[in-house]
């Protein structure tokens, strides 16, 4: 992977994500925290249960519900999909990586 190329293009980003990151997903927080605890050796710490319970009580970002939702297959949807094509590819790679790291 040539790191001199722009990382804003997909280029090396999936390889870097696969090699150097531990992926967590907010919509699967329980599974994420289980994996983080196991991978980082936190499960044996007495404070880990307290930390886990605090994460479980956190509220979602309040701004997430303040916008009108875009209807799938609408012109707006397709515009956003095109503008965020690389982000969506990277997100799907991250979800697949999350699943593979948790097996």
């Amino acid at each position: 992977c040539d790191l001199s190329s722009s990382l804003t293009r997909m280029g090396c980003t999936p390889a870097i994500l696969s090699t150097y990151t531990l992926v967590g997903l907010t919509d699967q927080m329980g599974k994420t925290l289980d994996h983080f605890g196991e991978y980082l050796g936190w499960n044996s710490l007495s404070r880990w249960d307290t930390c886990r319970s605090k994460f479980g009580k956190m509220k979602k970002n309040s701004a997430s519900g303040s916008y009108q939702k875009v209807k799938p297959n609408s012109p707006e949807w397709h515009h956003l999909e095109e503008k965020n094509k690389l982000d969506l590819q990277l997100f799907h790679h991250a979800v697949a990586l999350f699943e593979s790291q948790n097996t």
Side-chain angles (χ1 to χ4, degrees):
C1 195
D2 180 12
L3 291 178
S4 64
S5 67
S6 172
L7 292 179
T8 56
R9 290 188 229 128
M10 276 301 272
C12 299
T13 307
I16 291 170
L17 191 67
S18 298
T19 305
Y20 298 106
T21 63
L22 184 60
V23 177
L25 300 174
T26 56
D27 65 338
Q28 296 190 42
M29 187 59 80
K31 194 172 180 182
T32 293
L33 293 175
D34 288 344
H35 184 56
F36 284 8
E38 181 180 328
Y39 185 85
L40 298 169
W42 294 344
N43 288 339
S44 61
L45 300 175
S46 60
R47 297 177 299 196
W48 180 233
D49 287 335
T50 303
C51 291
R52 280 186 56 100
S53 67
K54 286 182 181 180
F55 274 110
K57 294 176 184 174
M58 291 175 65
K59 295 180 182 177
K60 285 188 174 185
N61 182 348
S62 61
S64 66
S66 62
Y67 299 98
Q68 183 178 2
K69 295 195 185 249
V70 177
K71 294 178 184 175
N73 296 316
S74 68
E76 295 85 2
W77 179 277
H78 292 294
H79 177 75
L80 289 169
E81 189 174 47
E82 180 59 32
K83 287 289 186 187
N84 295 294
K85 181 171 39 179
L86 296 179
D87 291 328
L88 289 168
Q89 289 175 8
L90 187 59
F91 172 74
H92 291 298
H93 178 75
V95 170
L97 186 56
F98 174 79
E99 292 301 327
S100 71
Q101 289 178 346
N102 283 283
T103 55

